[in-house]
Amino acid sequence: MQLLRKLQQRPFLRYASSTQPFYARFKYGPRSRAEFWGLVAGASIFPVFVALTNWYENQKLVKPELAPDFQSTKSVKMEPRTQLGGPFRLRESRTGEYITDEELFKDKWTLLYFGFSKCAEICPNTLTYISQVMKACDEEYGNDPDLANEEKKLQAVFLSIDFLRDQPEVVEKFVRKYDPRVRGLCGTKQEVETAAKAWRVYYSSVDETDEEREAREAKGVDAPVIDDTYQFDHSSAIYLVGPDCKMKDFYFQVMGIRDTVDRIGVHISDVYGFSDTRKE
């Protein structure tokens, strides 16, 4: 009898002999049928929720297939408001005569750069770089029977943003230091602004602030003076313009000659079939 009493004192025997529902027999647990089934439902929903979450995250990682050979790129048409380039009319340094953008770019491959002749370092270095790129293109593509004719169309254009100091003879003297295929352009303030705006080119203004004007007038100077030491701040991209007068690519000096020449070759060889739109 003593052994039976001891066994009945064991928890599992006490629970087994109890008439209470099994979920109410534990010290810590649900105290009603509703609480019990609520816990069961929660335990069932949780793994389903985890599985759905993992499936959703995996779906976001699935990458869409790209069209081969840049077919999707070939069909893209840039809206006019996002295209770089536009009509302009400027004086050519060699002749002093006005020339339009279409007359300048048509049937040519052009490396276009905006700068000014009094530039201390950036513009001379960039024109030297452009000259080296053109010579490298001569060596790379000049003897290629498929590309020689296109490579012969390569030219460079230096468009001066300095409408105050850069006259045709000044620009011509500056560009003559580099490759003979470099052509110079210059113009009035309005003409330069039109070209720069079309190509989204930034350059610092020479307009006076109120403080500068007051200081000048206090010194008795009637008009602002821009001497040869004045330096413009400006963007330094080199644009590749195609024979259809549209921009194809742009480069920076830090890219290096090899990379620039290779990318020019992609366009003049028309690898993807959409560089030249003259037939459209």
Side-chain angles (χ1 to χ4, degrees):
M1 293 296 293
Q2 292 180 355
L3 178 61
L4 181 61
R5 292 193 187 97
K6 289 181 179 180
L7 290 174
Q8 288 178 343
Q9 292 175 359
R10 300 289 179 89
F12 69 91
L13 290 178
R14 186 168 63 251
Y15 294 150
S17 61
S18 175
T19 58
Q20 291 180 318
F22 73 92
Y23 56 79
R25 299 175 190 174
F26 301 97
K27 184 176 182 180
Y28 302 102
R31 296 305 178 191
S32 66
R33 188 180 299 273
E35 289 184 12
F36 170 74
W37 287 112
L39 289 174
V40 172
S44 303
I45 292 174
F46 179 73
V48 175
F49 172 77
V50 172
L52 289 175
T53 302
N54 290 335
W55 174 84
Y56 177 73
E57 292 296 329
N58 290 333
Q59 286 296 113
K60 292 196 298 184
L61 296 177
V62 176
K63 297 181 179 180
E65 294 184 0
L66 297 177
D69 297 329
F70 292 87
Q71 291 179 10
S72 57
T73 306
K74 182 177 179 180
S75 63
V76 170
K77 297 292 185 181
M78 295 181 69
E79 295 295 332
R81 65 176 179 274
T82 61
Q83 278 187 329
L84 292 183
F88 61 75
R89 184 172 177 268
L90 294 163
R91 295 175 69 185
E92 186 176 9
S93 61
R94 292 179 184 175
T95 63
E97 302 294 331
Y98 276 94
I99 186 172
T100 65
D101 60 300
E102 185 174 358
E103 294 170 335
L104 185 67
F105 297 141
K106 189 175 182 180
D107 295 327
K108 295 282 188 181
W109 288 98
T110 305
L111 293 171
L112 174 64
Y113 179 70
F114 289 73
F116 61 105
S117 67
K118 301 297 189 296
C119 181
E121 183 177 1
I122 301 299
C123 297
N125 289 345
T126 303
L127 283 181
T128 299
Y129 176 76
I130 290 174
S131 299
Q132 293 171 344
V133 167
M134 297 177 74
K135 291 177 182 177
C137 286
D138 292 341
E139 297 174 359
E140 184 77 15
Y141 310 118
N143 296 322
D144 189 321
D146 297 325
L147 301 180
N149 289 334
E150 288 297 310
E151 196 278 330
K152 290 178 181 177
K153 300 175 183 178
L154 186 62
Q155 65 174 355
V157 171
F158 173 78
L159 197 160
S160 174
I161 58 173
D162 189 348
F163 50 85
L164 293 172
R165 298 172 296 184
D166 279 348
Q167 299 302 312
E169 60 276 8
V170 176
V171 175
E172 182 61 22
K173 182 179 179 181
F174 177 66
V175 299
R176 202 178 294 168
K177 303 174 185 177
Y178 307 98
D179 193 288
R181 291 171 289 182
V182 179
R183 304 169 69 177
L185 297 178
C186 59
T188 65
K189 180 180 180 180
Q190 183 62 42
E191 292 165 348
V192 170
E193 286 180 350
T194 299
K197 184 177 181 180
W199 287 92
R200 312 293 198 275
V201 171
Y202 158 79
Y203 62 94
S204 56
S205 173
V206 295
D207 295 335
E208 289 182 305
T209 63
D210 292 339
E211 292 79 6
E212 291 172 336
R213 178 179 53 79
E214 291 173 359
R216 174 177 55 78
E217 292 176 349
K219 295 178 181 179
V221 180
D222 295 332
V225 177
I226 303 297
D227 59 22
D228 287 349
T229 63
Y230 182 83
Q231 297 290 295
F232 283 88
D233 182 23
H234 63 92
S235 51
S236 58
I238 304 168
Y239 302 101
L240 177 66
V241 187
D244 54 357
C245 306
K246 296 182 180 180
M247 192 202 80
K248 304 303 178 185
D249 207 346
F250 63 93
Y251 317 107
F252 293 95
Q253 186 176 351
V254 295
M255 293 171 55
I257 295 176
R258 182 70 267 164
D259 190 17
T260 303
V261 170
D262 288 343
R263 287 173 60 167
I264 291 174
V266 168
H267 291 283
I268 67 175
S269 61
D270 205 10
V271 171
Y272 302 122
F274 57 87
S275 288
D276 191 350
T277 58
R278 285 172 291 178
K279 298 179 181 179
E280 292 185 358

